[in-house]
Amino acid sequence: MTPGDWRTYEQDDLSGILEAALGCFVAQGYHGTSIREIATRAGLSVPGLYHHFPSKQAMLVAVMQHAMADLWWRSEAAAAGTGPGSWDQLAAQVECLVLFHCRRQDLAFIAWSEIRSLTPEHRSEHIARRDRQQRVLDRIVEQGVADGTLRAARPREASRAVTTLCTAVAQWYREDGPLTPEELAAEYVALAGAMLGHEVPVRHV
């Protein structure tokens, strides 16, 4: 993927095989998906599929790595593109998380729900990437509490509550629902502000 505007979501650049795997994993879960089903969806034979990926696990790992890499560059770009103040940084990260979990809903859902299906080594690697992402928000909230911009008796727990609020979007968001991703992101920025003692008006877009 080529980094650009973190708010812009164009066609994902997953390969055809990984798109097929992702579709199967979302529809019936990792363990409910066979290699033959992925191959059929990708328009390949089973041996042809194995030419590209040695196992179903390798495809799951590649999908989850792609998801975390996409979110990471957007998060970094969001941090770089806003002011240094704790609230501005927090608002940008919340917006980034909500947009990602709406616009890359299937990727985000699998990156969360199929952690249990990773082998121990790959699970540790994925959790390390997830924890790196969480530390971005942790540092912002801790700094905001320290400088008085934000309020929380337990900043680390408050940070995780905000993250959970945002990432859960992937489990229920529907494109035909009442809010666009941008409108929902604005709502969630206001919710995060209310949680952390920084009241802001909802910015309708």
Side-chain angles (χ1 to χ4, degrees), residues 56-166:
K56 185 173 67 167
Q57 178 75 191
M59 285 181 271
L60 177 63
V61 169
V63 165
M64 295 176 81
Q65 287 176 341
H66 181 87
M68 297 307 294
D70 193 359
L71 176 57
W72 181 250
W73 82 254
R74 292 177 188 280
S75 176
E76 287 197 308
T82 194
S86 299
W87 169 249
D88 290 339
Q89 285 289 320
L90 178 66
Q93 292 302 317
V94 169
E95 182 182 359
C96 179
L97 284 170
V98 174
L99 290 179
F100 180 83
H101 285 78
C102 290
R103 297 294 190 185
R104 295 282 193 258
Q105 186 172 10
D106 286 351
L107 270 177
F109 177 74
I110 292 302
W112 166 79
S113 65
E114 293 295 353
I115 294 176
R116 62 190 175 181
S117 300
L118 293 169
T119 61
E121 177 185 1
H122 291 133
R123 187 182 304 121
S124 295
E125 292 170 351
H126 180 79
I127 289 174
R129 287 188 287 270
R130 183 197 64 185
D131 289 350
R132 179 182 68 166
Q133 186 69 58
Q134 179 61 48
R135 284 194 294 272
V136 173
L137 211 60
D138 290 347
R139 287 192 292 267
I140 293 170
V141 173
E142 288 168 356
Q143 180 58 44
V145 170
D147 65 25
T149 306
L150 305 174
R151 294 199 302 273
R154 295 180 176 83
R156 189 65 58 89
E157 287 72 18
S159 173
R160 278 152 174 71
V162 171
T163 299
T164 301
L165 181 74
C166 297

